[in-house]
Amino acid sequence: MSAISVEDIKAQSRALRGTLLEGLADQATGALAESDQVLIKFHGSYQQDHRDIREERRLQKLEPAYSFMIRTRTPGGIVSPQQWLKLDAIATRFANRSLRITTRQAFQFHGVVKRELKSTMQAINAAVIDTLAACGDVNRNVMVGANPQVSSAYATAHADAAALSEHLLPNTRAYYEIWLDEERIAGGEDEPIYGTHYLPRKFKTAFAIPPINDVDVFAHDLGFIAIIEGGEVVGYNVSVGGGMGSTHGDAETYPLLAQVIGFATREQVLSVAEAVVTAQRDFGNRAVRKRARLKYTIDDRGIDWFKSEVERRAGFALGPARPFVFEHSGDRFGWIEGEDGRAHLTLPVPAGRLADSAEASRLTGMREIARVHRGHFRLTANQNVIIADVPASQRRRIDLLVARHGLDRGVGRSALALNALACVALPTCGLAMAEAERYLPDFVARIEPLLAHHGLTEVPMLLRLSGCPNGCSRPYLGEIALVGKAPGRYNLMLGADHRGQRLNTLFRENVGEAEIIEALDPLFARFAAERSGQEGFGDYLIRSGLVAANPRQIAVRLVA
């Protein structure tokens, strides 16, 4: 990045317009200007290049093979069958013939070239889906627990999340002018929530529905934990200050879990969220971008100060936090019976990648299901997909399509494989230091014989792979996690719990596959021999003293 700062780029952007129109028209290069690469994130896209062939192209005196990743804004990850078919067509025509489910319940398209970027954006909007604020220094896609045990609670939480997503959208019309050819109208673009500089860094919000913490609510800047009484959501416990990102070798950066600061009614959700966002806007660190997340604002100023500031801005005091219990943070696979005679089928999607391969025709299979399904689809925060609201009369047809296309195959044979997450990493992510998505199948194949040898194949374990320490796959909440350091080298992190309420700890630094296997094998052996009841792997490691508890934050705290 040039000498001009991100803060300057935002301030001088003319409400996120920059020179994007001019850059899109310039077909002499596949890239955008540096400042526009910052601004296009607010529109839901990142400029990338194919790193596997970067050196080859340099030797040929060609510019890198630039392309764009586009991310949708889909609150709670809900899409209709009609929307699914349109997104599938976009992936087939404009992208790399795959749909990728992110850990934030959105779709990502990869490999879109600049000359087709606008057409792709228009096609996404034609599906009644947009990409505004899917990236950038704003509130991003709002997540909702996709595995509720009470359907009415899910409907309520999703409605509240969708309303919040709309409330926290930027007011700028730049998105509609640049991508949808809307005529520019002077005035009316004040940003009462974001201001001219928007937020210091990205901001993430999630709604969790106990007893399942499938969204890892404490990993987010802002969380709403549904309090259910009599089967209905009466309000939410509010959590603030979570975040996964860090930088290798920089002690000033670290992952943190959110803290619960009180209870808000449903009617208070928008006011609380706006108060949290504007407090971060005004007090977040704009001088040091690596320290600009809300977690550092709270860590520096104190949680009691932040709670008071939120209450002052909201105009009311939060109520005392109400009791809640999380049992686990995974998905519920297979058929789950609903309350209204309809059922939901959760299918595993390795690393969230829906593509056709010799092993399984996932993209085609889901397309065929979308053509006959009459309910909706839910993307989960664990990169899987739920075929929701299936009537009894349609279940056999769905099962036949699942079997025909192998949609329940190719994940691995263990519970660890079923619950694994991985970020995209190489070859497209510019931050990746090591493989993640492409390495996941090989790593699972190396681990599963160890699990089988120790009788642990069916024991749930949370495995997370991340190509860098920024934490898109929430690696610091993995019972086992690999965080990329260099090609083929990772930090081995161990000891998180299965509820998403404890960070893991660095166990081995900068190690390769052989060293990772060597470290895990004796731990699996002791776990198998000394496990207490249904104790999780991470809980055992901490209880036994084999892994030290994370000294920075070992459990979620409630603030009185």
Side-chain angles (χ1 to χ4, degrees):
M1 183 60 66
S2 60
I4 185 171
S5 71
V6 172
E7 289 300 308
D8 289 335
I9 291 171
K10 291 185 288 187
Q12 299 167 19
S13 69
R14 298 180 299 121
L16 305 180
R17 290 175 177 82
T19 57
L20 276 169
L21 277 175
E22 295 84 348
L24 291 170
D26 180 8
Q27 294 303 317
T29 174
L32 295 171
E34 286 189 51
S35 59
D36 289 333
Q37 292 175 39
V38 171
L39 298 178
I40 199 172
K41 296 176 185 178
F42 291 80
H43 298 254
S45 181
Y46 279 78
Q47 179 179 299
Q48 302 177 329
D49 77 279
H50 198 305
R51 293 173 60 181
D52 286 353
I53 60 174
R54 187 183 284 176
E55 179 61 14
E56 174 188 335
R57 291 183 67 85
R58 186 190 68 80
L59 292 174
Q60 295 174 352
K61 300 188 180 337
L62 299 172
E63 72 175 10
Y66 291 117
S67 65
F68 292 82
M69 179 273 284
I70 304 174
R71 184 180 296 153
T72 62
R73 183 179 68 92
T74 43
I78 283 188
V79 293
S80 69
Q82 294 74 27
Q83 289 174 317
W84 187 286
L85 291 172
K86 290 180 179 180
L87 295 174
D88 174 279
I90 293 166
T92 302
R93 178 180 176 187
F94 296 112
N96 63 352
R97 303 187 69 84
S98 73
L99 279 172
R100 191 170 195 279
I101 301 171
T102 77
T103 55
R104 295 202 60 74
Q105 297 180 303
F107 285 109
Q108 283 184 178
F109 299 94
H110 294 268
V112 179
V113 295
K114 189 173 78 170
R115 67 177 178 273
E116 294 183 333
L117 188 54
K118 185 170 182 175
S119 295
T120 309
M121 290 286 209
Q122 290 177 337
I124 293 171
N125 276 265
V128 198
I129 293 173
D130 64 56
T131 68
L132 177 60
C135 318
D137 297 345
V138 287
N139 180 65
R140 298 189 176 184
N141 196 49
V142 179
M143 298 168 65
V144 183
N147 292 270
Q149 293 185 356
V150 182
S151 297
S152 59
Y154 173 78
T156 298
H158 185 269
D160 292 342
L164 178 56
S165 179
E166 293 296 320
H167 185 69
L168 294 181
L169 279 179
N171 280 344
T172 178
R173 302 302 300 176
Y175 178 86
Y176 305 96
E177 294 169 16
I178 293 169
W179 308 110
L180 305 180
D181 297 324
E182 180 183 277
E183 184 177 349
R184 185 170 184 180
I185 302 173
E189 284 195 317
D190 292 339
E191 294 282 7
I193 294 178
Y194 291 118
T196 57
H197 288 70
Y198 298 87
L199 295 182
R201 281 296 298 272
K202 58 189 174 184
F203 191 95
K204 299 180 177 181
T205 304
F207 284 69
I209 307 172
I212 301 173
N213 185 22
D214 52 346
V215 295
D216 277 333
V217 68
F218 300 114
H220 302 277
D221 298 90
L222 175 60
F224 292 95
I225 302 164
I227 302 301
I228 302 172
E229 297 177 1
E232 300 296 329
V233 176
V234 296
Y236 302 89
N237 281 353
V238 180
S239 62
V240 294
M244 293 285 97
S246 66
T247 300
H248 288 315
D250 186 348
E252 293 297 308
T253 66
Y254 37 82
L256 281 176
L257 296 186
Q259 301 171 63
V260 176
I261 59 172
F263 172 84
T265 65
R266 290 187 62 205
E267 293 73 24
Q268 293 172 331
V269 164
L270 298 186
S271 296
V272 170
E274 184 171 327
V276 172
V277 168
T278 58
Q280 168 63 356
R281 176 199 66 196
D282 295 342
F283 294 102
N285 189 334
R286 294 184 184 270
V288 182
R289 192 162 171 81
K290 290 182 179 179
R291 291 274 303 177
R293 290 290 297 275
L294 176 61
K295 61 181 177 179
Y296 300 121
T297 307
I298 293 174
D299 218 27
D300 291 342
R301 293 176 175 268
I303 189 66
D304 294 323
W305 171 86
F306 190 77
K307 178 184 178 183
S308 296
E309 183 65 21
V310 167
E311 291 176 332
R312 183 186 70 80
R313 290 171 181 247
F316 54 83
L318 294 169
R322 301 193 184 184
F324 67 94
V325 173
F326 284 131
E327 296 175 354
H328 65 87
S329 59
D331 290 337
R332 299 188 294 166
F333 293 97
W335 284 105
I336 303 296
E337 298 296 332
E339 300 169 341
D340 54 1
R342 292 173 175 259
H344 316 293
L345 175 62
T346 303
L347 295 173
V349 183
R353 183 72 66 179
L354 289 160
D356 288 347
S357 67
E359 193 169 49
S361 50
R362 286 192 169 82
L363 189 66
T364 299
M366 289 303 300
R367 181 189 310 139
E368 294 301 314
I369 289 173
R371 286 173 175 164
V372 301
H373 184 36
R374 296 295 176 264
H376 66 275
F377 297 100
R378 300 177 195 167
L379 312 183
T380 82
N382 294 309
Q383 300 180 300
N384 300 308
V385 63
I386 299 175
I387 306 169
D389 285 339
V390 180
S393 61
Q394 199 181 22
R395 283 180 57 164
R396 175 168 170 75
R397 191 173 190 182
I398 298 294
D399 281 334
L400 289 173
L401 289 170
V402 168
R404 180 184 303 165
H405 295 282
L407 300 183
D408 55 355
R409 297 198 303 267
V411 177
R413 294 170 293 177
S414 63
L416 174 138
L418 201 63
N419 290 288
L421 301 183
C423 67
V424 173
L426 297 168
T428 53
C429 178
L431 299 175
M433 301 174 179
E435 297 280 3
E437 178 184 343
R438 295 194 299 191
Y439 179 46
L440 179 62
D442 291 340
F443 183 70
V444 166
R446 291 297 308 276
I447 293 294
E448 286 188 324
L450 303 182
L451 297 174
H453 177 72
H454 297 297
L456 299 174
T457 298
E458 302 300 323
V459 176
M461 294 185 196
L462 300 180
L463 170 65
R464 310 279 172 89
L465 268 64
S466 179
C468 80
N470 286 280
C472 292
S473 58
R474 304 191 294 276
Y476 308 108
L477 286 172
E479 292 177 284
I480 304 170
L482 306 187
V483 178
K485 285 273 286 188
R489 311 289 293 183
Y490 299 86
N491 283 352
L492 174 61
M493 315 288 295
L494 299 175
D497 72 344
H498 61 278
R499 296 172 294 275
Q501 295 183 183
R502 184 178 63 238
L503 294 170
N504 56 24
T505 307
L506 177 63
F507 187 72
R508 294 284 187 271
E509 186 172 9
N510 195 22
V511 290
E513 182 181 272
E515 296 161 290
I516 294 169
I517 299 297
E518 184 181 1
L520 289 176
D521 193 24
L523 297 178
F524 288 155
R526 289 197 57 176
F527 176 51
E530 302 171 12
R531 183 187 188 198
S532 176
Q534 298 300 306
E535 185 177 32
F537 184 55
D539 289 340
Y540 165 75
L541 293 176
I542 298 299
R543 176 180 65 80
S544 66
L546 293 170
V547 170
N550 189 302
R552 191 170 297 280
Q553 189 176 34
I554 63 172
V556 172
R557 290 174 284 170
L558 305 184
V559 178

